[in-house]
């Protein structure tokens, strides 16, 4: 008789991004080793009858222990953030190692590792935020970091202390194309926002609601269009993060229809919240301030359409938790204007339950799409597939067992992050992950955590296929080859 497996999950309905099937899953040394109708014995067994057995979620956009350019630190550290993620069915996070101007990216990466290693309970990789593309950063640090497994970086088109110019963006896109990395873009037109903010300020209109006025939909649409043009000029693939507006969604769809490698992400706040939430009593609206802001119900419908028709490949939380006090959202108490409110909402734990309940249960997306949007596509886009993001022989045994009928009313007190509030207070959802497994270890089971601090591991990312250029140079650049034997960039 052969040695029993470490863990066997029996009788569940297994779903991947492609299939739904009934089978047992056997796990040994942290990996899936057998998928079959009736697997042999396990030292530990879980009966998943009536449950959905899904790949653990991957959240590829979250801010953890990140300091904003204004010096405000996110409410969660790597422990509370990853515990919260685990309770919501997520087994891998990809937060940012964020460079502020003047900093060495290499040192920034070391600092984030030092923060994550002793605390994370699930596996993690890092994207880089590049705010200072100096010669040193472009010429040495980034190429070396890409080789070391940091193959994606985010650039901002707005925020005074983070934004890069179009010229700098071209440098970054050219480097990504050459070195095998993937660029994520925060697309909002800086000058439109700045100009509107100044005009609103002159009229004394500083309440949180006016954040949604200043960050106009057209500002997102314009910057998205410009970013795509910059990428097209250089034949450089890209991903637009946290897309909220119908205008931006339409521009992305058009680019995809033209065959460009343009990918896109959206987030729970853009299907669950509207600008009316920013207009709540007193300073309450500050809890809902994020950039870009939530739009209106027609905007929500456009985002759902984009999730259903494949315009969006990934659904991420953009978890950016700030406490509702002077240490976070409200540096000047109830005198804080929208310009001073720390931007971002918490959402690591509620991301997948929201997509399941509002998407799958309400018939807007299929179960396979849920798996793709919540896990598989993140792994594919950021170079972690097939180790992460699927249920397959040889993959890490990162699994979430869902009770598809469980009704849950969301309250801040049931969640495990440190934000102290949830934008979804009182919302009722159907479906919740009840058992969560990371590399074969049961880390959450029926409301109990059993993961050790620091048991999460760092993941190096490969160059994703998505980052590979298409070989579709714009004609005038393609013809340069006739005049020079050296590439133009
Ligand atoms: O408002 C947001 N989304 N804050 C987090 C930072 C970012 O731009 O993603
Ligand atoms: Zn952003
Ligand atoms: Zn973000």
């Amino acid at each position: 008789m052969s040695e029993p497996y470490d863990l066997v999950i029996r009788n569940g309905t297994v779903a991947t991004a492609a299939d739904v099937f009934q089978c047992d899953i056997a796990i040994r040394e942290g990996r899936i080793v057998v998928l079959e109708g009736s697997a042999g014995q396990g030292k530990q067994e879980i009966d998943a009858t009536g449950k959905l057995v899904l790949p653990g979620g991957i959240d590829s956009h979250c801010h953890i222990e990140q300091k904003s350019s204004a010096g405000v630190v996110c409410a969660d550290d790597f422990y509370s953030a990853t515990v919260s993620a685990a309770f919501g069915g997520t087994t891998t996070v990809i937060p940012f190692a964020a460079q502020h101007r003047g900093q060495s990216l290499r040192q920034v990466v070391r600092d984030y590792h030092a923060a994550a290693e002793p605390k994370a309970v699930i596996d993690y990789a890092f994207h880089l935020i590049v705010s200072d593309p100096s010669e040193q950063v472009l010429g040495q640090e980034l190429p070396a970091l890409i080789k070391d497994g940091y193959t994606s970086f985010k650039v901002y088109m707005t925020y005074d202390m983070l934004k890069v110019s179009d010229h700098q963006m071209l440098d970054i896109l050219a480097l990504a194309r050459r070195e095998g990395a993937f660029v994520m873009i925060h697309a909002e037109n800086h000058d439109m926002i700045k100009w509107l903010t100044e005009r609103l300020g002159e009229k004394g209109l500083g309440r949180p609601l006016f954040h949604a006025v200043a960050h106009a939909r057209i500002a997102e649409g314009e910057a998205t269009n410009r970013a795509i043009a910059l990428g097209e000029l250089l034949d450089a693939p890209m991903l637009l993060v946290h897309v909220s507006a119908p205008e931006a969604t339409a521009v992305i769809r058009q680019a995809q229809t033209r065959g460009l490698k343009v990918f896109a992400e959206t987030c729970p706040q853009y299907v669950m919240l509207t600008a009316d939430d920013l207009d709540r009593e007193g300073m309450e609206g500050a809890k809902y301030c994020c950039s870009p802001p939530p739009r209106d119900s027609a905007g929500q419908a456009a985002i759902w359409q984009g999730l259903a028709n494949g315009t969006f490949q990934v659904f991420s939380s953009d978890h950016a938790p700030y406490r509702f006090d002077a240490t976070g959202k409200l540096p000047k108490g109830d005198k804080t204007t929208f310009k001073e409110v720390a931007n971002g909402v918490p959402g690591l734990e509620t991301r997948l339950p929201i997509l399941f309940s509002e998407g799958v249960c309400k018939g807007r997306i299929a179960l396979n799409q849920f798996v793709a949007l919540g896990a598989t596509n993140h792994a594919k886009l950021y170079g972690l597939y097939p180790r992460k993001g699927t249920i397959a022989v040889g993959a890490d045994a990162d699994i979430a067992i869902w009770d598809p009928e469980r009704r849950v009313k969301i309250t801040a007190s049931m969640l495990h992050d440190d934000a102290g509030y949830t934008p979804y207070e009182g919302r009722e959802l159907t479906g919740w992950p009840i058992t969560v497994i990371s590399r074969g270890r049961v880390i959450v089971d029926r409301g109990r955590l059993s993961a050790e601090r620091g048991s999460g591991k760092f993941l190096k990312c490969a160059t994703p296929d998505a980052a590979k250029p298409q070989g579709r140079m714009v004609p005038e650049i393609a013809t340069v080859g006739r005049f020079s034997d050296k590439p133009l960039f």
Side-chain angles (χ1 to χ4, degrees):
M1 179 142 152
S2 62
E3 185 70 0
Y5 301 110
D6 296 336
L7 174 65
V8 176
I9 303 167
R10 295 202 186 280
N11 308 318
T13 301
V14 178
T16 66
D19 301 297
V20 179
F21 50 96
Q22 303 283 323
C23 81
D24 292 351
I25 301 177
I27 295 160
R28 188 172 275 147
E29 291 175 3
R31 300 219 167 185
I32 296 169
V33 288
V34 168
L35 291 174
E36 59 186 37
S38 182
Q41 229 194 330
K43 292 177 205 157
Q44 187 185 358
E45 303 219 347
I46 296 173
D47 181 11
T49 306
K51 306 292 186 294
L52 293 174
V53 181
L54 309 180
I58 301 177
D59 195 337
S60 60
H61 188 152
C62 46
H63 304 269
I64 304 178
E65 278 192 68
Q66 192 179 316
K67 202 187 239 183
S68 78
S69 42
V72 186
V73 185
C74 289
D76 281 305
D77 68 7
F78 274 89
Y79 184 70
S80 57
T82 54
V83 167
S84 181
F87 273 100
T90 288
T91 51
T92 300
V93 283
I94 317 184
F96 298 91
Q99 180 202 35
H100 292 294
R101 298 213 176 116
Q103 291 182 324
S104 141
L105 251 179
R106 203 26 114 181
Q107 186 55 45
V108 167
V109 168
R110 273 191 220 111
D111 293 345
Y112 277 87
H113 272 284
E117 204 183 291
K119 296 180 219 146
V121 304
I122 58 174
D123 293 352
Y124 56 94
F126 286 113
H127 309 291
L128 310 174
I129 286 177
V130 181
S131 66
D132 193 357
S134 62
E135 245 173 66
Q136 163 80 3
V137 166
L138 292 174
Q140 288 165 41
E141 295 196 318
L142 274 174
L145 285 162
I146 292 165
K147 287 190 180 63
D148 288 349
Y150 309 87
T151 57
S152 45
F153 27 89
K154 180 175 176 189
V155 292
Y156 287 80
M157 297 171 81
T158 187
Y159 290 132
D160 284 319
M161 302 307 290
L162 292 171
K163 79 181 275 288
V164 297
S165 65
D166 290 358
H167 189 281
Q168 289 173 317
M169 177 106 85
L170 288 169
D171 278 341
I172 294 168
L173 287 165
L175 173 131
R177 181 185 193 278
R178 199 167 57 235
E179 305 285 341
F182 192 41
V183 181
M184 309 157 76
I185 296 176
H186 178 134
E188 290 186 283
N189 179 306
H190 183 70
D191 284 313
M192 284 185 189
I193 295 168
K194 192 161 180 251
W195 192 87
L196 286 167
T197 302
E198 285 163 2
R199 299 295 79 75
L200 290 162
E202 283 162 8
K203 291 187 180 303
L205 301 175
R207 294 181 46 233
L209 170 66
F210 294 105
H211 175 74
V213 177
H215 288 250
R217 287 162 41 164
I218 193 95
E220 188 185 346
E222 186 285 324
T224 302
N225 191 47
R226 183 157 36 98
I228 291 170
L230 296 174
E232 185 173 8
L233 181 74
L234 301 187
D235 182 31
M238 65 173 56
L239 179 136
L240 282 306
V241 294
H242 49 46
V243 175
S244 73
E247 291 78 359
T249 309
V251 166
I252 291 163
R253 182 82 177 153
Q254 242 172 40
Q256 292 166 342
T257 307
R258 287 199 294 121
L260 297 179
K261 270 197 180 184
V262 171
F263 302 89
E265 169 200 87
T266 192
C267 314
Q269 44 274 35
Y270 305 121
V271 292
M272 293 294 277
L273 306 175
T274 66
D276 288 346
D277 287 300
L278 278 71
D279 195 21
R280 293 188 186 213
E281 200 60 26
M283 290 306 290
E284 272 296 296
K287 290 182 177 171
Y288 305 84
C289 280
C290 55
S291 296
R295 307 295 181 179
D296 59 9
S297 55
Q300 291 180 338
I303 297 292
W304 277 119
Q305 190 183 35
L307 284 163
N309 70 19
T311 306
F312 299 111
Q313 291 71 43
V314 284
F315 190 78
S316 310
S317 67
D318 193 6
H319 180 80
Y322 295 103
R323 294 192 68 83
F324 191 57
D325 60 26
T327 67
K329 285 277 181 191
L330 304 175
K332 296 189 180 158
D334 59 9
K335 303 274 180 306
T336 308
T337 65
F338 73 82
K339 196 170 177 270
E340 297 149 340
V341 170
N343 271 209
V345 293
L348 270 171
E349 193 164 345
T350 46
R351 172 185 75 114
L352 291 175
I354 284 172
L355 187 61
F356 187 87
S357 183
E358 300 303 299
V360 180
C361 295
K362 296 198 172 162
R364 290 170 165 132
I365 56 169
L367 182 58
N368 302 123
Q369 287 178 297
F370 170 77
V371 173
L373 287 160
T376 316
N377 290 347
H378 302 250
K380 288 185 175 172
L381 282 172
Y382 297 114
L384 293 172
Y385 190 82
R387 176 173 173 193
K388 300 290 189 189
T390 192
I391 292 182
V393 170
D396 279 0
D398 289 357
I399 292 167
I401 303 177
W402 285 67
D403 179 346
E405 278 158 18
R406 179 145 175 203
R407 303 271 302 154
V408 175
K409 187 188 225 174
I410 299 183
T411 60
S413 59
M414 61 167 282
L415 300 173
H416 299 81
D417 63 44
D418 273 341
Y421 79 94
T422 166
Y424 313 112
E425 185 74 33
R427 303 281 189 114
E428 295 202 18
L429 300 180
T430 303
W432 201 270
I434 48 170
T435 304
V436 180
I437 297 163
S438 160
R439 277 181 285 102
R441 311 166 292 146
V442 175
I443 55 169
V444 169
D445 191 35
R446 281 159 227 277
R448 275 206 350 267
L449 178 76
S450 51
E452 301 270 306
R453 268 174 184 271
S455 55
K457 282 196 164 45
F458 169 65
L459 304 163
K460 288 186 180 196
C461 295
T463 291
D465 280 345
K468 299 195 175 128
Q470 289 176 278
R472 344 174 356 152
M473 286 282 178
V474 296
E476 39 299 28
I477 292 176
T479 54
V480 173
R482 284 197 282 128
F483 306 105
S484 162
D485 51 8
K486 293 229 172 70
L488 196 56
F489 51 86

